[in-house]
Amino acid sequence: MKKIELIINNKKVICLKKEQFKPHYNTVIILTGASTYASVYFIFAKQFKKTEVIIINTPGHGLGNSLTEGEPLTDGNELVDFQVTVIKQLIKENHCTSKITLLGYSLGGMTLLNIVNRNLLDENVGLCVLIASARITKHDNEVIKGLYNKETNTFNTKSLMEKNCTNKTPWYIKYLNPKWLFALPTPCYADFLQCDSMNEISKNELMVKNNKNIIAFLGENDFFFSEKEILKTIKFFKQRTFISLEDYGHLFLLERPIKAGKLVFKAIKEVDL
């Protein structure tokens, strides 16, 4: 993947791009989930054939070549503003060949919903894809309790996994990059604070009807988001498709990036055509 360097508010922001000569479909821009950085989504993005894909790193996230400068954000409104600014800069610098399919995973999906609800990129976004996300989380403030130790600056990822895998042993851990699990304690904690902030925004800023098309995916065993909430969320879109993922939880995209990529791309392709 090609590395794109942008300067936003005098800070370097790194995006990764899967280039495509004469793409057939919209440019897909991925808004990432909590405690993840752009390169984690490479295998997933690779499944999008004949498609440009751009993955955005947020401040405080990224390892090695995917490093993005700046402190991690803790406020939902700041994250929305940041993502909109980055996308506008990507468009301005001609990194997007076509109209945009905006894809949000988990926390990135909550960001996507606020971008759409505020009409911030209305003329540029042709399709929305919501993965393992909704307007409000199941557990609200309960998610972060006991997971972060400020004194030692460590994040209890084992506890997080146990919470997310319902009654199953987290067999999928061996399929994940261990760097993702242990290298970003402070940004991960900041992301959960953002998630709480997004919940508050959603309670105070009601979703309004829009003319967008949305495809929404949710694992049956998702710990953070419920089917009831995601269906309630997407009813505000003019055209909507909901796909339930049997036997999977919140981490489906990271557990099975090839399968997830092919499934999501198939759904996008059918709409994009």
Side-chain angles (χ1 to χ4, degrees), residues 105-249:
Y105 169 63
S106 189
L107 178 59
M110 299 178 87
T111 314
L112 178 157
L113 292 168
N114 282 305
I115 289 172
V116 172
N117 203 41
R118 299 175 187 182
N119 300 314
L120 298 178
L121 293 166
D122 214 37
E123 69 278 10
N124 302 112
V125 177
L127 173 65
C128 299
V129 180
L130 192 66
I131 302 178
S133 188
R135 192 77 168 138
I136 295 177
T137 63
K138 273 185 188 177
H139 302 282
D140 218 344
N141 295 332
E142 297 297 318
V143 173
I144 64 170
K145 284 184 178 178
L147 296 180
Y148 183 71
N149 187 324
K150 290 184 178 180
E151 293 183 1
T152 61
N153 189 32
T154 56
F155 196 84
N156 190 341
T157 51
K158 184 176 184 292
S159 178
L160 177 62
M161 290 299 170
E162 289 171 350
K163 285 175 178 288
N164 186 51
C165 69
T166 60
N167 62 347
K168 296 187 296 184
T169 301
W171 53 268
Y172 49 77
I173 285 179
K174 65 183 180 181
Y175 294 98
L176 300 177
N177 185 336
K179 292 181 179 178
W180 173 78
L181 292 175
F182 300 108
L184 298 169
T186 305
C188 190
Y189 180 66
D191 288 344
F192 279 106
L193 294 180
Q194 285 180 94
C195 209
D196 288 340
S197 178
M198 290 290 190
N199 285 331
E200 292 306 311
I201 291 170
S202 299
K203 292 170 187 175
N204 298 316
E205 187 180 300
L206 299 179
M207 195 85 181
V208 296
K209 289 188 176 181
N210 63 80
N211 64 352
K212 297 295 180 191
N213 190 343
I214 190 166
I215 308 170
F217 299 83
L218 186 73
E220 279 186 350
N221 300 316
D222 196 299
F223 172 78
F224 293 111
F225 297 94
S226 68
E227 182 173 325
K228 179 180 178 182
E229 190 60 44
I230 200 170
L231 291 175
K232 180 181 173 182
T233 296
I234 66 175
K235 74 177 185 179
F236 293 96
F237 288 75
K238 186 176 180 180
Q239 299 178 59
R240 51 200 176 270
T241 302
F242 173 66
I243 300 173
S244 179
L245 305 171
E246 187 177 354
D247 295 330
Y248 282 98

Side-chain angles (χ1 to χ4, degrees), residues 35-99:
S35 191
T36 55
Y37 45 96
S39 56
V40 171
Y41 297 80
F42 169 71
I43 297 174
F44 172 75
K46 197 174 178 181
Q47 311 312 311
F48 290 62
K49 307 303 181 184
K50 300 179 181 179
T51 306
E52 287 182 325
V53 182
I54 299 175
I55 313 161
I56 301 173
N57 271 311
T58 56
H61 293 65
L63 295 170
N65 291 334
S66 63
L67 179 66
T68 290
E69 293 179 356
E71 294 298 316
L73 303 174
T74 58
D75 180 83
N77 285 307
E78 289 181 1
L79 179 59
V80 172
D81 292 342
F82 171 82
Q83 299 287 29
V84 170
T85 301
V86 171
I87 292 170
K88 286 183 175 179
Q89 191 66 25
L90 287 167
I91 294 169
K92 183 179 178 181
E93 295 186 14
N94 298 315
H95 293 294
C96 303
T97 302
S98 311
K99 202 164 187 178

